[in-house]
Amino acid sequence: MGNFEETDFNHFEEQGFGGGDWMFDLIPVFGGALFVIVISVFIFVIVKGIGEWSSNNKQPKLSVPAELVAKRTKVSGGANDTSASTWYYATFEVESGDRMEFHVGAQEYGMLVERDKGILNFQGTRYLGFERNRQSELL
């Protein structure tokens, strides 16, 4: 065995991204792309939330006769020792036949009963409350 020159090992290198280390060349690209995507989604959600909040603030507060036609929950998480989160929704039908679904709090959800009639208070997509008719409670 004699002295090897640097050019003796060139025939072992692969062509392409830099001689066989192409995986190491792509990891920073994918990492950077993932970072940009996560930040973009985060910014989109914030801007959308601020837009909905602003839009709701511009709407008039309305009180209309309505009937509670449905209640539902949405649960996420709770697997593999993680905590579960529950969102509560109520769907109201107004006199025109239109239906509107609102996110409501847990305590409010528990107080609502399907087929209750009363006055629905809302502002845009923001639920403000529901006042049951006292007459329907007596029947």
Side-chain angles (χ1 to χ4, degrees), residues 1-6 8-9:
M1 299 205 165
N3 291 337
F4 292 102
E5 293 184 18
E6 186 177 326
D8 291 340
F9 292 103

Side-chain angles (χ1 to χ4, degrees), residues 62-69 91-96 98 100 102 108 111-122 127-137 139:
L62 299 175
S63 297
V64 298
E67 178 181 356
L68 178 63
V69 293
T91 302
F92 296 91
E93 185 173 308
V94 296
E95 290 177 329
S96 66
D98 292 332
M100 295 179 281
F102 295 97
E108 183 83 12
M111 299 294 290
L112 295 170
V113 178
E114 288 185 16
R115 297 196 340 224
D116 272 351
K117 294 181 180 181
I119 302 297
L120 171 64
N121 301 299
F122 65 99
Y127 174 80
L128 300 176
F130 182 69
E131 301 164 23
R132 255 183 292 184
N133 288 343
R134 296 289 178 191
Q135 292 173 342
S136 64
E137 291 179 8
L139 298 176

Side-chain angles (χ1 to χ4, degrees), residues 44-125:
F44 174 77
V45 168
I46 289 175
V47 169
K48 184 179 176 188
I50 291 171
E52 184 175 354
W53 176 81
S54 177
S55 174
N56 282 338
N57 285 343
K58 293 176 185 175
Q59 300 293 321
K61 291 181 180 179
L62 299 175
S63 297
V64 298
E67 178 181 356
L68 178 63
V69 293
K71 293 171 38 174
R72 72 177 180 94
T73 59
K74 178 182 177 186
V75 180
S76 67
N80 300 328
D81 297 330
T82 62
S83 62
S85 298
T86 306
W87 287 268
Y88 301 92
Y89 298 93
T91 302
F92 296 91
E93 185 173 308
V94 296
E95 290 177 329
S96 66
D98 292 332
R99 292 184 175 199
M100 295 179 281
E101 183 177 67
F102 295 97
H103 175 260
V104 298
Q107 186 172 4
E108 183 83 12
Y109 181 87
M111 299 294 290
L112 295 170
V113 178
E114 288 185 16
R115 297 196 340 224
D116 272 351
K117 294 181 180 181
I119 302 297
L120 171 64
N121 301 299
F122 65 99
Q123 184 179 23
T125 61

